Amino acid sequence: MPFSLIAAYHGINKFLGTFDGDLLKKTIEFLLVMVILYMLVSEYRKEKSRELRYLLFGFCLLLIEKIVMVFILSQVVFVDAANAAFIRHTPIIINMLEIAGLFTITVMLLSDEYKEAVFSIVKKGMLAWLGLLIITQAIWLAHLFFFQSTLITAILLILFEVTKIAVLWYPIVHLIKNKKLTKYYKKVALAFAVYSITPLIHLFNIVFYTGANKYLKILAHPFPFIAMLLVLRVIFIKLADKAAIKKDLELTQRRYEATKKISRMKDEFVSTVNHELRTPLTSIKLYLSLLREGKMGALNKEQKKAVEVVNKEAGRLAELISDILDVSKLESGREKLTLTKTNLAALLDPGRVDEDDLRP
């Protein structure tokens, strides 16, 4: 049994070292990028933000790179193996598409960290990428048509792999340096670090084996696939968090509207108290005053007692109305309380406190 597993393992590695294996790997990467793009497009239809637009742009660049590679490898595998020459003639565009896609994705996944500068960073990075594309493509064309040198090929390939590593590791170093590796950013950093293993292996292969070590080629195969799964997980978490935040905002909005409605009802009540209760209360107090003064006829002892009770209760009602209006003014900011230090003992028992103690 162990021997059969080992044989199967070697068989898989041998398959991955062929054009058929490359085609399978690129096809799986293509499908993963398509899934990510589907998620992003679905979210973009709900929320047409610049962040999502740039993120879509980055993954579209990666998708184009995967499509080109799948097309070329399909020609090699299913049409004619001689088409493998196409691979040697397209390294510039393939690598530059991957670099541009990775750069845009890394910046946009860290958009919360870069904040308002994120779009400026992407634009400047794209201008630098365009300049690098023109220079490298000119060198490559000169290499193809005028002079062929393995040194030029090696230098260009080293440049591409170093650029990929720098693009993937710069944000990780930035986060570590500024101590901002939160739970979310740790997941992002892990995805970037895993993806960077492949260009690191390619760089080692080019420098020490002129890119001819098939074992290193096989070793580099799974990491983009794993990184894509990690990126898919990160984007899913971010979109899920956005959906949760949106739901919380909607709930908060509903609560705010309910609070506004209650506040409006309270204001209406205060207005009613001010206009509808004070007017009849004023009339009541006026007639009570006339009764107490005897201007509407003499009152006997029981009637005077009843009038005093009514007058007292009317005064208490007037004080309650005044308190309600004062509270409303304080809440609206039209009036403010003036707070001072007060001797509590003097308030409770003024007769037992010296005059100095009565001062606040």
Side-chain angles (χ1 to χ4, degrees), residues 18-27 66-81 83-84 86-87:
T18 63
F19 287 119
D20 296 46
D22 285 336
L23 177 60
L24 176 64
K25 182 177 76 78
K26 290 295 179 182
T27 303
K66 306 302 178 192
I67 290 172
V68 173
M69 286 303 300
V70 168
F71 174 76
I72 293 173
L73 290 168
S74 298
Q75 293 294 311
V76 173
V77 173
F78 299 112
V79 180
D80 187 359
N83 290 322
F86 283 121
I87 298 175

Side-chain angles (χ1 to χ4, degrees), residues 9-10 12-18 22 25 29 193-205 209 211-227:
Y9 174 75
H10 284 299
I12 292 170
N13 285 334
K14 186 177 179 181
F15 170 75
L16 290 174
T18 63
D22 285 336
K25 182 177 76 78
E29 291 176 12
V194 171
Y195 201 103
S196 68
I197 295 174
T198 294
L200 191 63
I201 293 173
H202 287 163
L203 180 63
F204 187 83
N205 194 4
Y209 300 99
N213 192 310
K214 63 179 181 179
Y215 299 108
L216 288 176
K217 287 182 180 179
I218 293 169
L219 181 64
H221 277 316
F223 296 107
F225 172 73
I226 297 170

